[in-house]
């Protein structure tokens, strides 16, 4: 089948320079959610009709499988689908979706497409307690005969609670004929896509309907408030799935997944955590409150303590990270490693059993097994032009307040005394330190603040 996605609207109520369909929901543009759902149906082609935002929209949504049709000016939904006709295969049906309706599921669309088959007009409808603003589904003898837009409806029609969502599937050759017969004889002086329903009935084409599992699947975004409401609906779906899979969430209302979160058995996640990109959490691992984790793999039994930031890293089994730790891209921690409060790592590998528990920075560093890194230690990896590597071999002990000026190597079992500035390699199993001799100046006196002058 063909899929047409209407994405040309300006979105005035968003009060933003960003095109409406590019506003993010769960970390990706509204339009990207619709495209991904369309792709899940396996269509032969996807055509996106764009207008406001122009090339900004085209550049934001990637895919060699996408075709683009410009709608300029914007004269209604029927006019928008007209722009897509040259790109469609007339021998297969066309499904029409909307770039600002991001929560529709694969299952719902598959059901709609199946109900319509190759020769029927299928509409996705829903019953609402308050249908104000929606086009009403008018039936006679149970059969759909037309759709009446809210602004054009009389009081009796407005009392109907079954509404049109705008999502439809139709035989493409027939759809092209019906679009050609549209007029702007309505309140808004636009070409309504919904007017094809009456034409289909006139042509004795069966009009069928399908309904979503939940009305939220049909909600669109026209304002920042509605965007926030859909965000919570989306996150609630994710939280429900995770809990059904056995994840313990301290509060499902305070979880944000902006990508893919895969959890093993007996995983626990505290409040206000944000997961971005692809995050995989192993069996029995726990994530404390207020953590932000992006594109990371966390091993079984690991503990991520509160207020920890992790990006593009790998955490070994039974590791203990945080609180207030920051792991930047390229960090790879082995089993039972400890990274404590106010420790920052970047492009660093730390092998099993090693620890950096307090106030340290390790950049471009390779740390062996069972290494202890004291508080205040930093690797000086940047000379102002280039990055250099520090290597700390197995069983080394790095004293507090040590600076390792890369490139430099600390040998196996070596000890660096506290306060050392290491500029040359430290030999294995030796104590290396650099300190000035401690002296006491007997004649020194602490300055005394002078009394204020009287006026």
């Amino acid at each position: 089948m063909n899929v047409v996605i209407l994405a040309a609207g300006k979105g005035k109520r968003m009060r933003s320079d960003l095109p409406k369909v590019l506003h993010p929901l769960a970390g990706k543009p509204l339009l990207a959610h619709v495209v991904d759902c369309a792709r899940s149906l396996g269509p032969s082609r996807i055509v996106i009709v764009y207008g406001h935002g122009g090339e900004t929209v085209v550049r934001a949504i990637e895919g060699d499988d996408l075709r683009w049709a410009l709608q300029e000016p914007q004269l209604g939904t029927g006019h928008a689908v007209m722009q897509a006709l040259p790109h469609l295969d007339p021998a297969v049906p066309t499904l029409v979706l909307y770039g600002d309706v991001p929560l529709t599921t694969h299952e719902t669309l598959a059901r709609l497409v199946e109900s319509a088959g190759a020769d029927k007009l299928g509409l996705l409808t829903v019953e609402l307690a308050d249908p104000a603003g929606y086009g009403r589904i008018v039936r006679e003898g149970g059969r759909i005969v037309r759709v009446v837009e809210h602004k054009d409806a009389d009081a009796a029609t407005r009392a109907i609670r079954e509404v049109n969502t705008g999502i439809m599937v139709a035989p493409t050759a027939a759809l092209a004929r019906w679009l050609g017969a549209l007029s702007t004889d309505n309140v808004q002086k636009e070409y309504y896509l919904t007017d094809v329903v009456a034409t289909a009935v006139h042509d004795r084409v069966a009009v069928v309907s399908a309904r979503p599992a939940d009305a939220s699947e049909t909600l669109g975004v026209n304002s920042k408030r509605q965007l926030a409401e859909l965000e919570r609906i989306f996150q609630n779906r994710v939280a429900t799935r995770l809990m059904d899979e056995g994840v313990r969430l301290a509060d499902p209302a305070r979880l944000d997944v902006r990508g893919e979160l895969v959890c093993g058995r007996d995983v626990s996640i505290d409040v206000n955590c944000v997961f971005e990109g692809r995050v995989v959490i192993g069996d029995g691992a726990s994530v404390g409150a207020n953590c932000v984790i992006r594109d990371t793999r966390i091993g079984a039994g690991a503990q991520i303590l509160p207020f920890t930031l992790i990006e593009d890293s790998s955490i070994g089994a039974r590791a203990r990270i945080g609180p207030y730790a920051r792991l930047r891209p390229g960090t790879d921690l082995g089993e039972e490693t400890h990274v404590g409060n106010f420790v920052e790592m970047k492009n660093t590998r730390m092998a099993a059993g090693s620890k950096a528990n307090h106030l340290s920075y390790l950049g471009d560093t390779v740390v062996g097994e069972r290494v202890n890194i004291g508080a205040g230690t930093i690797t000086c990896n940047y000379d102002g032009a280039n990055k250099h590597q520090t290597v700390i071999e197995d069983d080394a002990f790095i004293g507090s307040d040590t600076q390792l000026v890369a490139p430099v190597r600390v040998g196996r079992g070596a000890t660096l005394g506290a306060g050392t500035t290491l500029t040359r390699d430290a030999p294995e199993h030796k104590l290396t330190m650099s300190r000035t001799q401690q002296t006491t100046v007997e004649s020194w006196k602490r300055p005394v603040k002078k009394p204020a002058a009287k006026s």
Side-chain angles (χ1 to χ4, degrees), residues 247-250 255 261 263 266-275 279-282 284-293 298-299 301-310 321:
V247 177
R248 179 188 175 276
L249 300 178
L255 171 77
L261 176 59
C263 296
D266 297 315
V267 168
S268 65
I269 300 172
D270 211 330
V271 300
N272 300 328
C273 291
V274 179
F275 300 92
V279 176
V280 179
I281 305 177
S286 63
V287 180
N290 302 295
C291 292
V292 179
I293 302 174
I298 298 172
Q303 299 179 61
I304 311 301
L305 300 181
F307 295 96
T308 292
L309 277 63
I310 305 175
I321 314 299

Side-chain angles (χ1 to χ4, degrees), residues 237-363:
R237 285 186 187 178
V238 174
T240 299
R241 175 183 61 80
L242 290 171
M243 291 187 292
D244 288 346
E245 293 172 355
V247 177
R248 179 188 175 276
L249 300 178
D251 184 349
R254 289 186 284 174
L255 171 77
D256 285 272
V257 178
R258 301 168 186 170
E260 181 183 11
L261 176 59
V262 180
C263 296
R265 295 175 62 86
D266 297 315
V267 168
S268 65
I269 300 172
D270 211 330
V271 300
N272 300 328
C273 291
V274 179
F275 300 92
E276 301 179 342
R278 178 175 167 82
V279 176
V280 179
I281 305 177
D283 295 348
S286 63
V287 180
N290 302 295
C291 292
V292 179
I293 302 174
R294 178 185 302 118
D295 293 319
T296 291
R297 181 174 292 272
I298 298 172
Q303 299 179 61
I304 311 301
L305 300 181
F307 295 96
T308 292
L309 277 63
I310 305 175
E311 180 180 3
D312 193 15
S313 297
S314 178
I315 313 299
R318 300 177 301 285
R320 181 182 173 92
I321 314 299
Y324 295 98
R326 183 185 181 194
L327 305 184
R328 292 166 57 192
T331 299
D332 186 353
L333 304 180
E335 296 182 355
E336 298 181 349
T337 49
H338 289 185
V339 176
N341 47 283
F342 304 105
V343 174
E344 180 180 355
M345 291 183 168
K346 188 270 298 181
N347 193 29
T348 289
R349 300 197 309 274
M350 177 181 278
S354 291
K355 302 177 181 179
N357 278 328
H358 318 281
L359 302 159
S360 296
Y361 169 69
L362 302 178

Side-chain angles (χ1 to χ4, degrees), residues 363-364 379-383 387-390 404-408 422:
D364 300 295
T379 56
C380 307
N381 57 322
Y382 183 53
D383 63 8
K387 301 289 181 69
H388 302 280
Q389 188 178 69
T390 297
L404 297 97
V405 183
V408 71
L422 192 73

Side-chain angles (χ1 to χ4, degrees), residues 103-322:
L103 300 183
T104 315
T105 64
H106 167 94
E107 292 76 16
T108 290
L109 295 180
R111 191 162 57 250
L112 174 64
V113 170
E114 182 180 4
S115 68
D119 57 356
K120 303 180 189 70
L121 173 60
L123 305 180
L124 187 66
T125 72
V126 65
E127 281 205 14
L128 299 177
D130 180 9
Y134 287 86
R136 306 306 202 276
I137 299 294
V138 178
R139 295 177 181 263
E140 293 179 1
R143 295 168 46 251
I144 297 174
V145 293
R146 62 185 178 278
V147 176
V148 180
E149 293 299 322
H150 180 86
K151 292 182 179 180
D152 300 308
D154 57 25
T157 304
R158 288 186 178 186
I160 297 172
R161 293 173 56 185
E162 185 182 14
V163 302
N164 176 48
T165 67
I167 295 173
M168 67 169 59
V169 60
T172 303
L175 179 62
R177 293 196 310 272
W178 300 336
L179 290 171
L182 293 180
S183 76
T184 58
D185 185 17
N186 52 62
V187 172
Q188 298 189 125
K189 303 302 179 182
E190 292 183 348
Y191 295 98
Y192 291 160
L193 179 60
T194 50
D195 285 350
V196 304
V197 176
T199 310
V201 172
H202 180 270
D203 289 352
R204 298 185 178 181
V205 173
V207 181
V208 297
S209 65
R211 293 191 178 182
D214 190 280
S216 66
E217 291 188 44
T218 67
L219 295 177
V221 173
N222 291 302
S223 67
K224 298 285 180 60
R225 178 173 58 83
Q226 290 177 335
L227 180 62
E229 290 169 354
L230 265 64
E231 180 76 37
R232 292 327 314 159
I233 293 170
F234 181 94
Q235 297 300 340
N236 183 64
R237 285 186 187 178
V238 174
T240 299
R241 175 183 61 80
L242 290 171
M243 291 187 292
D244 288 346
E245 293 172 355
V247 177
R248 179 188 175 276
L249 300 178
D251 184 349
R254 289 186 284 174
L255 171 77
D256 285 272
V257 178
R258 301 168 186 170
E260 181 183 11
L261 176 59
V262 180
C263 296
R265 295 175 62 86
D266 297 315
V267 168
S268 65
I269 300 172
D270 211 330
V271 300
N272 300 328
C273 291
V274 179
F275 300 92
E276 301 179 342
R278 178 175 167 82
V279 176
V280 179
I281 305 177
D283 295 348
S286 63
V287 180
N290 302 295
C291 292
V292 179
I293 302 174
R294 178 185 302 118
D295 293 319
T296 291
R297 181 174 292 272
I298 298 172
Q303 299 179 61
I304 311 301
L305 300 181
F307 295 96
T308 292
L309 277 63
I310 305 175
E311 180 180 3
D312 193 15
S313 297
S314 178
I315 313 299
R318 300 177 301 285
R320 181 182 173 92
I321 314 299

